[in-house]
């Protein structure tokens, strides 16, 4: 099954969004219909694509649909989660996600209303994901996906990234959402799904949901921990060099995202009946350390621009000499990493026959 080369042409952000929207269609309390990560967004696309929260999801759904017809042994639920794992492997700095296969086909559509609204308050968002079986901390880690995201349907006047390094899976998103907002990208209009962005002049958007979760008592410390963990000496002065701290929080973020995605991928499913096919997932591209350092203030910004809610000391963060938006606009200008990832990816294409 030569599915990986085609899936790798899909945008990681689109298949990650699809994976979340499909999986969150589940309710522990029975408030909503749906069996979670069951592929219902493909199987019952005629229903679920009509929900307002799924605007734009038709693109990855229609790209993946032909596979479900051509390979009847692959369920739609497996295909969506596999596509997310493969898509993420295109993002430098991302973790290699696990992939378990064997989800049965969906038997019903999920209800409308299962996807948390970007315009919702923190309680509404946290209550909804808790009802789907995910903790507040797991939600924070899942939002690392916004580090490689664009918002194409939030404001019709702009196709905006959510951080200044949209081509790299890094913790920059978590720092930039904490900076004081100043305006809105595009033509300056806004709607309830947006909060003022610190980098609106550069075309960056801030989702209202990210804004409130970064500042809510239940999530602010998990959010801040991704930016960095200060190492405090007895004198109260941070003692660890910046490089040590940033390396550690990149690992914290990638491990947190990997474990949270592993849980998301089986929402509503019986994992004991699934088969571990993680070997089929390509190794992600790696970060070039000489080009990317996690969590740096944009030029001319500093701690005074941070709206801190967590009571723990804020980490010392370096200041970037320039922003990296160019990496998303001109992918060919992305720094190339010299790694063994390419040859490993070829091996993964072969292994996928076993899936
Ligand atoms: Ca579903
Ligand atoms: Ca990023």
């Amino acid at each position: 099954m030569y599915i990986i080369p085609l899936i790798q042409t899909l945008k990681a952000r689109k298949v990650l969004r699809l994976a979340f929207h499909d999986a969150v269609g589940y309710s522990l309390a029975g408030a909503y219909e749906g069996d979670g990560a069951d592929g219902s967004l493909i199987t019952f696309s005629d229903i679920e694509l009509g929900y307002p929260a799924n605007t734009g999801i038709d693109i990855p759904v229609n790209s993946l649909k032909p596979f479900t017809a051509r390979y009847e042994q692959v369920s739609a639920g497996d295909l969506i989660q596999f596509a997310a794992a493969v898509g993420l492997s295109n993002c430098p700095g991302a973790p290699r996600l696990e992939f378990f296969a064997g989800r049965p086909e969906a038997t019903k559509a999920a209800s409308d209303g299962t996807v948390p609204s970007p315009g919702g308050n923190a309680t509404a968002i946290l209550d909804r994901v808790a009802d789907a079986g995910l903790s507040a901390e797991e939600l924070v880690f899942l939002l690392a996906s916004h580090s490689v995201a664009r918002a194409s349907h939030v404001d019709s006047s702009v196709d905006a990234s959510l951080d200044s390094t949209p081509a790299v899976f890094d913790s920059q998103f978590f720092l930039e959402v904490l900076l004081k907002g100043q305006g809105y990208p595009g033509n300056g209009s806004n709607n309830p799904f947006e909060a003022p962005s610190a980098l609106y002049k550069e075309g960056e958007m801030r989702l209202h949901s990210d804004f409130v979760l970064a500042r809510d008592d239940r999530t602010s410390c998990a959010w801040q921990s991704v930016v960095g963990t200060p190492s405090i000496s007895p004198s109260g002065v941070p003692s660890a060099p910046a490089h040590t701290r940033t390396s550690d929080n990149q690992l914290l973020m990638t491990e947190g995202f990997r474990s949270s995605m592993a849980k998301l991928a089986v929402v509503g499913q019986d994992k004991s009946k699934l088969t571990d096919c993680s070997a089929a997932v390509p190794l992600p591209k790696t970060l070039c350390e000489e080009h990317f350092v996690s969590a740096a203030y944009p030029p001319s910004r500093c701690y005074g621009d941070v709206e801190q809610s967590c009571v723990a000391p804020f980490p010392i963060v370096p200041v970037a000499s320039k922003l990296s938006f160019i990496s998303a606009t001109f992918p060919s200008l992305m720094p190339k990493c010299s790694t063994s990832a390419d040859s490993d990816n070829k091996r993964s294409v072969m292994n996928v026959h076993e899936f």
Side-chain angles (χ1 to χ4, degrees):
M1 184 173 69
Y2 295 96
I3 192 172
I4 285 185
L6 187 139
I7 288 177
Q8 284 181 320
T9 68
L10 299 175
K11 296 277 195 317
R13 58 188 171 87
K14 292 185 185 294
V15 286
L16 285 169
R17 181 171 177 239
L18 169 60
F20 179 74
H21 283 221
D22 186 46
V24 82
Y26 179 74
S27 171
L28 289 168
Y32 299 98
E33 290 284 340
D35 290 321
D38 61 351
S40 61
L41 242 166
I42 287 179
T43 310
F44 295 96
S45 59
D46 55 330
I47 298 173
E48 294 193 32
L49 287 181
Y51 301 158
N54 288 333
T55 300
I57 292 274
D58 57 306
I59 295 172
V61 164
N62 291 330
S63 297
L64 292 177
K65 242 180 182 178
F67 287 101
T68 60
R70 197 183 311 165
Y71 302 103
E72 291 183 355
Q73 73 275 28
V74 179
S75 71
D78 285 351
L79 185 61
I80 288 174
Q81 297 305 324
F82 187 60
V86 173
L88 186 71
S89 72
N90 283 319
C91 302
R96 188 186 195 187
L97 299 184
E98 67 173 39
F99 169 65
F100 280 66
R103 294 167 188 75
E105 293 291 357
T107 57
K108 57 181 178 289
S111 308
D112 192 6
T114 60
V115 179
S117 169
N121 61 42
T123 297
I125 296 167
L126 293 173
D127 285 353
R128 177 71 277 278
V129 297
D131 184 37
L134 299 164
S135 71
E137 185 178 51
E138 286 165 341
L139 175 62
V140 169
F141 283 122
L142 288 173
L143 287 170
S145 59
H146 287 184
S147 173
V148 290
R150 298 190 78 81
S152 308
H153 304 279
V154 175
D155 180 339
S156 59
S157 75
V158 65
D159 177 20
S161 66
L162 301 179
D163 77 353
S164 64
T165 56
V168 183
F169 191 88
D170 58 7
S171 55
Q172 190 67 16
F173 161 76
F174 290 90
L175 174 64
E176 290 178 5
V177 172
L178 283 172
L179 301 177
K180 289 173 186 166
Q182 298 177 322
Y184 299 92
N187 63 9
S189 64
N190 66 88
N191 59 54
F193 301 150
E194 288 181 81
S197 163
L199 297 172
Y200 74 99
K201 291 178 181 174
E202 292 82 357
E204 182 174 314
M205 179 181 288
R206 178 177 297 168
L207 296 179
H208 174 80
S209 47
D210 293 336
F211 169 79
V212 296
L213 291 171
R215 290 157 178 77
D216 189 87
D217 288 347
R218 292 160 288 186
T219 40
S220 62
C221 286
W223 192 285
Q224 180 177 304
S225 73
V226 183
V227 178
T229 305
S231 179
I232 306 296
S233 71
S235 65
V237 177
S239 58
H243 179 71
T244 302
R245 293 193 300 275
T246 54
S247 296
D248 286 345
N249 69 16
Q250 177 77 17
L251 183 61
L252 174 77
M253 181 184 71
T254 54
E255 281 301 302
F257 186 74
R258 190 192 56 74
S259 61
S260 299
M261 279 296 292
K263 192 168 175 185
L264 177 77
V266 295
V267 166
Q269 304 293 306
D270 183 351
K271 191 172 184 179
S272 69
K273 294 180 179 175
L274 304 182
T275 303
D276 188 352
C277 297
S278 302
V281 177
L283 287 174
K285 294 181 173 67
T286 54
L287 281 173
C288 298
E289 284 192 29
E290 66 272 29
H291 291 291
F292 296 107
V293 177
S294 294
Y297 290 117
S300 78
R301 308 298 170 90
C302 62
Y303 175 70
D305 297 300
V306 172
E307 294 177 331
Q308 182 180 1
S309 297
C310 176
V311 295
F314 202 77
I316 292 178
V317 176
V319 181
S321 57
K322 61 183 176 61
L323 293 175
S324 304
F325 284 103
I326 193 171
S327 302
T329 310
F330 303 104
S332 62
L333 297 179
M334 279 279 293
K336 299 291 188 295
C337 300
S338 177
T339 71
S340 60
D342 287 345
S343 58
D344 285 336
N345 282 349
K346 291 191 181 85
R347 191 169 69 242
S348 294
V349 173
M350 302 302 290
N351 288 344
V352 80
H353 288 285
E354 300 164 10
F355 159 47

